[in-house]
Amino acid sequence: MRRLFPVALALALAACGGHPPSPAAPPAPEAAPVTADKDLELAGGANALWWDAASSTLFLTDNNADALLAYTDTGGLAPVVTLPASEHGISLGGIVRHPDGTILVASFGFGKAGTVFRVGADRIASALTGLDPVRRRVGLAQDATGALYTGYFVGGKGETIGGVAKLDVQGASASEIEIAGASTKAGLQKVVGLVATPDAIYVADQGQHTIFKLGVPGFQLAPLATVAKVDLLIQLPGGDLLTGGGSEIARITPAGAVTPVALPNTHFDQVRGLAFDPAGKRLFIIDHSTTPGRPDRLHVRSFPG
């Protein structure tokens, strides 16, 4: 288990039901104004993003350092916690907050050590026990009722089977109930992105270049939209979805219409994680560098939503 750096995480946990922060913890910063566009260079292999509105904090995963980082407008980027290493590698995915105040981070694990990490208010990070390590977990989502879901796939080299499962976390252990996957013959291949609402679960399948919709209840799977490249998935307040991939970001309406997102003066090598700050009207974008000598970047762009 790894201990936390006492940076922004204690603020987010305390604001959402965890233990209170230490007396020295600074107040949560206010959201930056709409005009605060900026680019930040990243030293590691950044992947997923999650905006915590309660503390005005952006959390992001660093695959090179096996770490969770935090960004605030007043404090910039800072490490939060190093996740427990694995001999097989962990490769971090989606981020959510459990109703008990802890933060959960999905781990890909390369088909041998897939898991979900729990980052507690006690400033300790550990892998949840009871989960099948063969599942390569990337997507992790929570709906407005607090229900948690994981997106995963098994296999490799073009022969993957994807699935979506309901995640039940009980303290340091967890279990998954499959709702779409091999046992249901859903036909998913490489699930990488996930968004959950009380009425539907949206699934980004990288193997089929498709966004699927799982209706709730019943979990009937239906294709929503075909997108050239998909990765991690977020939902805007109005209901539209955003996903990145390659040099583009696509916007998908609830009816399945797909349009490219145009951001002036912004070039992407490989879009990965996205997050949206509804108060500041800002879109956060992880741009993984495929150009030699060019670092990864966190783009912060004004975006009306």
Side-chain angles (χ1 to χ4, degrees):
M1 295 186 293
R2 301 293 180 91
R3 289 195 173 274
L4 293 169
F5 288 87
V7 189
L9 181 62
L11 293 174
L13 295 175
C16 307
H19 298 307
S22 63
E30 295 182 358
V34 174
T35 55
D37 286 5
K38 64 184 73 175
D39 290 334
L40 289 87
E41 291 189 359
L42 302 172
N47 191 23
L49 295 174
W50 171 59
W51 175 255
D52 179 38
S55 63
S56 296
T57 301
L58 180 75
F59 290 91
L60 55 157
T61 56
D62 179 348
N63 285 343
N64 286 1
D66 296 339
L68 182 67
L69 309 178
Y71 166 80
T72 62
D73 294 315
T74 55
L77 279 167
V80 175
V81 62
T82 301
L83 285 305
S86 164
E87 62 178 311
H88 306 294
I90 59 176
S91 190
L92 302 170
I95 310 165
V96 300
R97 181 179 57 248
H98 189 272
D100 69 5
T102 60
I103 287 180
L104 305 177
V105 184
S107 175
F108 184 78
F110 299 95
K112 295 182 180 179
T115 189
V116 175
F117 289 106
R118 176 181 184 271
V119 181
D122 55 4
R123 299 181 179 180
I124 294 178
S126 59
L128 293 172
T129 60
L131 298 178
D132 185 351
V134 172
R135 291 184 172 182
R136 304 181 181 201
R137 296 172 184 84
V138 182
L140 185 61
Q142 183 180 47
D143 70 19
T145 71
L148 296 162
Y149 299 90
T150 56
Y152 67 89
F153 61 93
V154 296
K157 296 183 178 179
E159 298 179 357
T160 57
I161 298 174
V164 178
K166 191 167 186 178
L167 180 68
D168 181 23
V169 179
Q170 299 293 333
S173 65
S175 60
E176 289 173 307
I177 301 173
E178 187 174 90
I179 58 178
S183 65
T184 62
K185 299 181 180 179
L188 294 170
Q189 291 183 9
K190 189 177 181 182
V191 175
V192 294
L194 213 61
V195 162
T197 74
D199 301 318
I201 301 170
Y202 297 94
V203 184
D205 188 326
Q206 201 170 69
Q208 301 185 73
H209 311 286
T210 300
I211 306 298
F212 288 93
K213 181 179 179 180
L214 268 169
V216 179
F219 301 115
Q220 295 297 313
L221 187 72
L224 177 66
T226 299
V227 183
K229 294 184 179 181
V230 304
D231 207 293
L232 295 163
L233 193 65
I234 64 169
Q235 187 175 45
L236 298 172
D240 288 358
L241 302 168
L242 293 183
T243 188
S247 60
E248 296 182 352
I249 299 172
R251 183 168 186 159
I252 305 101
T253 70
V258 180
T259 55
V261 173
L263 296 170
N265 304 314
T266 309
H267 165 75
F268 302 119
D269 276 4
Q270 187 179 94
V271 179
R272 289 188 172 176
L274 303 166
F276 183 65
D277 164 21
K281 303 294 184 183
R282 298 180 297 174
L283 181 64
F284 298 91
I285 308 138
I286 286 293
D287 181 17
H288 175 65
S289 176
T290 58
T291 303
R294 179 182 181 273
D296 288 1
R297 286 193 174 99
L298 171 64
H299 299 282
V300 186
R301 291 291 180 267
S302 301
F303 195 72

